[in-house]
């Protein structure tokens, strides 16, 4: 992973005192990285090391931006749709059951929900993301899911 390649897309979490309390120090925590090897999905700052996961390009079929309605403002997410049989990724949803997933985000496939991260405490630049995916994995599509009223 070259830090000098301008095609690489990297988004980092805003630094907060929470990461100091969780033992991560004041270092930069990567929320999302797209490079020649694949996609790194950063874990939540409070559980960063346990939830951070990497997926190589050969396992990724598409990247999906989706929205979850909540009682508040709602949450945007980014997720990976991966090939069948790809090894499970660590993450904040890794223990969620299919039944719970259907209640939380009925418009999103279970496996996609497992391999998703909220876009919270960091910003996504869709144009730069698309440029990085086009540069490193032109076979991977970046999709946007719309949630319909139920």
């Amino acid at each position: 992973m070259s830090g000098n390649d301008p095609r690489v897309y990297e988004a980092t979490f805003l630094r907060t005192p929470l990461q100091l309390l969780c033992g991560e120090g004041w270092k930069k925590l990567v929320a999302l990285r797209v490079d020649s090897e694949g996609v790194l999905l950063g874990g939540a700052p409070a559980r960063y090391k346990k939830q951070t996961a990497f997926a190589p390009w050969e396992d990724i079929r598409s990247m999906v931006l989706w929205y979850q309605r909540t009682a508040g403002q709602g949450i945007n997410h980014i997720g990976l749709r991966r090939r069948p049989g790809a090894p499970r990724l660590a993450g904040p949803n890794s223990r969620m059951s299919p039944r719970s997933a259907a209640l939380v985000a009925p418009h999103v496939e279970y496996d996609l929900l497992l391999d998703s991260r909220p876009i919270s405490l960091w910003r996504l630049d869709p144009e730069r993301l698309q440029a990085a995916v086009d540069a490193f994995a032109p076979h991977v599509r970046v999709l946007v899911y719309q949630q319909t009223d139920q």
Side-chain angles (χ1 to χ4, degrees):
M1 291 187 211
S2 171
N4 298 327
D5 188 335
R7 300 172 301 167
V8 170
Y9 175 67
E10 185 174 277
T12 58
F13 285 103
L14 298 173
R15 290 185 172 118
T16 68
L18 176 63
Q19 73 187 69
L20 291 172
L21 296 171
C22 296
E24 293 299 329
W26 202 242
K27 65 185 175 186
K28 175 175 74 168
L29 299 177
V30 175
L32 176 71
R33 182 178 171 93
V34 176
D35 62 25
S36 63
E37 296 178 32
V39 176
L40 178 101
L41 297 170
R47 300 183 47 89
Y48 189 76
K49 288 178 184 167
K50 288 187 177 219
Q51 293 180 353
T52 296
F54 175 79
W57 286 120
E58 55 267 14
D59 286 352
I60 301 172
R61 299 293 175 250
S62 62
M63 296 181 75
V64 181
L65 303 172
W66 59 276
Y67 180 78
Q68 176 186 8
R69 283 203 183 111
T70 64
Q73 294 181 345
I75 304 167
N76 288 308
H77 290 75
I78 187 163
L80 304 176
R81 184 179 293 130
R82 299 182 312 127
R83 70 171 172 79
R88 283 235 159 156
L89 297 179
N93 299 326
S94 62
R95 293 188 175 161
M96 187 174 283
S97 72
R99 174 179 264 162
S100 296
L103 294 172
V104 170
H107 62 298
V108 175
E109 300 92 11
Y110 177 65
D111 290 335
L112 176 60
L113 180 70
L114 294 180
D115 295 338
S116 291
R117 298 296 190 273
I119 301 172
S120 178
L121 297 177
W122 63 281
R123 292 179 191 242
L124 179 71
D125 181 334
E127 290 80 24
R128 288 201 52 228
L129 171 66
Q130 185 68 61
V133 172
D134 289 346
F136 297 119
H139 65 283
V140 173
R141 293 180 30 196
V142 178
L143 306 171
V144 177
Y145 275 16
Q146 298 296 324
Q147 183 173 358
T148 58
D149 290 327
Q150 304 219 349

